[in-house]
Amino acid sequence: MNKKVLAALAVSLLSVNTFAKQDWQLVWNDEFDYQGAPDDSKWSFDTQGNNWDWGNDEAQNYTPKENKNAWVEDGNLIIEARKEPYRWYGDGQTKEYTSARLRTLGKGDWLYGKVEVRALLPKGNGMWPAIWMLASEEKYGGWPKSGELDIMENVVYDPNKIHCNIHTGAYNHSIGTNKGNTVSTSLPSENWHVYSMEWDAEKVIFFLDGEQVFRFDNEHKTSQEWPYDQKFHLLLNVAVGGEWGGTMGIDNSVFPQRMLVDYVRVYQMGEVLEKDADLQLNTSLTDAICYGEMTNLEIDTAGTGKPLEPSKLVITVNEKVNGETRTIENLYSENGKLYATVAPIADAEYTTVVSYRKGEENEQVVTKENTLKVVPQILADVKVDEQQVEVFVFEGGSQPFEYVLDYDNFQTDSYFYNLSYGKHVIYVKDALGCVSNTYEFDIVPKNGTHSEVVGNSSCMVYQSAGTLYIENAAAGTSYSIVSANGSTLLSGKLDAAASVSVASLSCGYYILLVGDKSFPFVKE
């Protein structure tokens, strides 16, 4: 399967009490457990800054909801930057890139609190994703006087660096007094990380995966140094180019690029229970996985911000197949979460039982049954008719199917025409992204005398006893042989026999380039 499927069982704690203390309480969140456009009761598409290139000479136009540069799918918010022309009506300017900038202004505005965002970042020169906050009412004036809080910025030409910054009238990059920090992390375009910030009247602290990376303290001077005594709102965006993001240019080959957001959670200090809690635990489970894959069941034990006591938390995962139930016991803990790795069986039911013991005689148990659909194995075959082939699926998978020939691009048409002579491979992909095994076949000319042959009527290539023979090619014609990843292994000019020895090559898939023609072949 091309995409990783995670079965996430989120555990949250909500309570009322008779004896309480101050601690973080969840006040606003989006878990993206729906499909379609971002929830418009929480998010707005921010576009007006297109009129002035957002003050950073950015190369994209941010688009409204209708352009679908941001949507929710498979439990994630997706913000996609694309290379496509888009004319912004405000200034009449057409730019060659589009993206989205979402904000919570008027729908989520907070004075002090903790913000947590779990995200997967885009890659490629020119990408500039950000998770940040701005003042909602700008009581001290326009930028930077009313302040900015950059929870995460990543200029992708330096892909493993995460930047956390504050901007105020006294401290900002435009006058060379910026305050912030830069830290390295592991491949944020391939590994999920949690970017967070805690903010109160005395300080702002930034975190990466729970580790403090920067702290800014209130100097108790003026609003020029500390404008952070007013409500702020959250922004999520992926810029393209700009004065910082475009320092090393824009790599047009990487588009489209996406930032994925698993959740956004905002907490504020409030009363939480020491005892007599009304505990509620909620679980959810994704519903599909490809045949033969392993699945991680992820159980978040952090609750509303304070980890539950491990000694009081009991979690079991049961697997029911054909009426028989077994308990999955290989749970392990890492970074405040529990995990269980299982190899699902088709149509098995996975029941998660979560309990939290508040006392020896005070235990609440929540159970939820989910059917985890295991997509049956895709079984396909090919029908070869001279130089064309038809692919058909006779078992497994989920329609509609897509097909790819010789590691090229997937297509919806199951027919391939005018194929070159020689070996070919076919893959089939279904609607859930599951991919079949490889199906190999040969295209051989009717009058062919060699076991392996590729080419067409104007130029034939035969392979025999470790040598390639090229018909209808003149002596002195340039040739080269490249590997499947594009590395040149052999090169030269054809001799009078128009033959090339491939005896030195190891077994594998190669491409012969003769003049302006290319011929794939397999060395066995």
Side-chain angles (χ1 to χ4, degrees):
M1 186 172 180
N2 290 342
K3 60 184 180 181
K4 207 68 176 165
V5 180
L6 288 178
L9 294 89
V11 179
S12 62
L13 173 63
L14 308 173
S15 52
V16 212
N17 78 314
T18 56
F19 176 73
K21 66 175 183 178
Q22 289 288 307
D23 208 341
W24 294 116
Q25 283 195 334
L26 187 67
V27 296
W28 190 98
N29 68 310
D30 199 336
E31 304 297 324
F32 305 111
D33 51 358
Y34 52 91
Q35 301 284 328
D39 184 348
D40 59 14
S41 70
K42 298 178 179 180
W43 303 99
S44 299
F45 284 74
D46 192 7
T47 57
Q48 289 303 309
N50 290 334
N51 292 324
W52 54 88
D53 299 336
W54 301 97
N56 298 307
D57 195 27
E58 295 173 21
Q60 84 292 326
N61 273 325
Y62 287 126
T63 65
K65 177 170 64 175
E66 292 72 25
N67 207 57
K68 297 182 179 179
N69 282 91
W71 70 95
V72 176
E73 179 182 312
D74 294 334
N76 297 311
L77 169 67
I78 299 171
I79 298 178
E80 183 175 81
R82 301 194 286 261
K83 188 178 189 311
E84 60 179 359
Y86 186 91
R87 181 179 183 274
W88 175 244
Y89 73 91
D91 60 3
Q93 185 177 6
T94 297
K95 292 193 172 183
E96 296 304 311
Y97 307 92
T98 63
S99 187
R101 169 168 158 150
L102 301 181
R103 64 180 180 180
T104 66
L105 179 64
K107 302 175 181 183
D109 308 89
W110 309 278
L111 173 61
Y112 309 139
K114 176 168 73 170
V115 178
E116 286 185 344
V117 180
R118 184 171 186 260
L120 191 67
L121 306 185
K123 59 185 176 181
N125 281 359
M127 297 298 101
W128 183 4
I131 301 168
W132 53 305
M133 301 187 79
L134 286 174
S136 296
E137 297 179 359
E138 294 190 324
K139 61 187 284 188
Y140 298 119
W143 192 93
K145 294 180 180 179
S146 287
E148 176 179 327
L149 296 165
D150 295 328
I151 301 170
M152 183 285 300
E153 286 186 281
N154 176 233
V155 282
V156 186
Y157 63 79
D158 202 352
N160 296 327
K161 297 292 180 64
I162 300 299
H163 308 274
C164 304
N165 294 284
I166 62 96
H167 300 285
T168 72
Y171 304 123
N172 67 82
H173 64 276
S174 63
I175 56 175
T177 57
N178 182 69
K179 289 185 179 290
N181 192 26
T182 298
V183 295
S184 296
T185 190
S186 58
L187 297 173
S189 65
E190 298 180 17
N191 300 314
W192 291 86
H193 294 286
V194 176
Y195 306 95
S196 58
M197 180 196 75
E198 295 181 7
W199 161 42
D200 60 28
E202 296 298 324
K203 62 189 176 299
V204 181
I205 306 176
F206 298 86
F207 301 86
L208 173 61
D209 293 327
E211 297 293 327
Q212 179 176 324
V213 296
F214 175 59
R215 173 175 174 143
F216 177 68
D217 291 301
N218 187 351
E219 299 172 354
H220 296 285
K221 294 179 181 178
T222 70
S223 64
Q224 286 287 96
E225 293 78 21
W226 184 266
Y228 303 120
D229 57 354
Q230 57 183 316
K231 288 185 176 182
F232 275 63
H233 62 278
L234 183 68
L235 299 100
L236 308 174
N237 66 280
V238 177
V240 179
E243 294 172 355
W244 192 15
T247 302
M248 303 299 290
I250 301 172
D251 183 356
N252 289 328
S253 70
V254 302
F255 289 93
Q257 280 296 312
R258 296 175 174 180
M259 177 166 72
L260 275 63
V261 180
D262 181 21
Y263 59 75
V264 177
R265 297 170 184 167
V266 180
Y267 306 83
Q268 290 186 314
M269 295 298 290
E271 293 184 346
V272 296
L273 289 188
E274 288 289 347
K275 60 181 180 179
D276 299 327
D278 179 17
L279 183 69
Q280 298 179 16
L281 298 169
N282 300 313
T283 67
S284 61
L285 180 65
T286 195
D287 63 358
I289 183 174
C290 293
Y291 175 86
E293 279 214 347
M294 301 294 284
T295 296
N296 282 329
L297 304 180
E298 179 183 302
I299 303 104
D300 187 354
T301 63
T304 58
K306 180 180 179 181
L308 305 178
E309 296 179 44
S311 62
K312 295 183 178 182
L313 184 67
V314 178
I315 298 176
T316 58
V317 180
N318 298 323
E319 178 184 69
K320 183 189 294 184
V321 181
N322 298 327
E324 297 185 3
T325 300
R326 72 179 182 98
T327 300
I328 299 172
E329 297 178 346
N330 59 331
L331 292 171
Y332 64 97
S333 176
E334 185 177 301
N335 298 326
K337 296 183 180 180
L338 294 178
Y339 298 88
T341 301
V342 298
I345 301 170
D347 297 324
E349 289 185 357
Y350 289 86
T351 306
T352 306
V353 182
V354 184
S355 63
Y356 187 71
R357 296 195 301 272
K358 295 169 293 180
E360 292 301 321
E361 298 180 356
N362 189 359
E363 179 176 325
Q364 290 182 326
V365 179
V366 176
T367 65
K368 184 174 182 180
E369 292 196 13
N370 306 269
T371 299
L372 177 62
K373 179 182 179 183
V374 181
V375 179
Q377 182 179 17
I378 299 173
L379 298 177
D381 205 348
V382 294
K383 179 181 179 182
V384 179
D385 182 8
E386 294 190 356
Q387 288 183 262
Q388 69 181 41
V389 64
E390 177 186 4
V391 189
F392 56 93
V393 177
F394 58 85
E395 189 175 322
S398 298
Q399 294 185 353
F401 296 103
E402 294 183 67
Y403 313 89
V404 66
L405 174 72
D406 294 339
Y407 316 104
D408 201 350
N409 296 319
F410 280 96
Q411 65 178 49
T412 56
D413 190 352
S414 61
Y415 287 87
F416 295 87
Y417 302 94
N418 300 319
L419 302 186
S420 59
Y421 294 117
K423 289 185 178 294
H424 295 276
V425 293
I426 289 279
Y427 289 94
V428 181
K429 181 173 70 173
D430 77 348
L432 294 172
C434 301
V435 179
S436 71
N437 294 329
T438 303
Y439 298 95
E440 297 186 356
F441 62 95
D442 286 318
I443 300 291
V444 180
K446 288 184 177 180
N447 59 353
T449 58
H450 297 271
S451 59
E452 297 183 26
V453 54
V454 296
N456 52 46
S457 58
S458 63
C459 187
M460 287 273 192
V461 177
Y462 299 92
Q463 182 180 174
S464 180
T467 301
L468 300 180
Y469 297 93
I470 301 94
E471 289 189 357
N472 300 327
T477 303
S478 297
Y479 76 87
S480 60
I481 295 178
V482 300
S483 64
N485 64 12
S487 300
T488 300
L489 304 177
L490 298 173
S491 63
K493 294 184 182 296
L494 295 179
D495 56 20
S499 64
V500 177
S501 174
V502 293
S504 63
L505 299 179
S506 58
C507 297
Y509 177 86
Y510 301 94
I511 298 174
L512 169 67
L513 304 176
V514 181
D516 60 353
K517 299 180 176 61
S518 61
F519 306 95
F521 69 95
V522 176
K523 169 72 185 318
E524 294 182 340

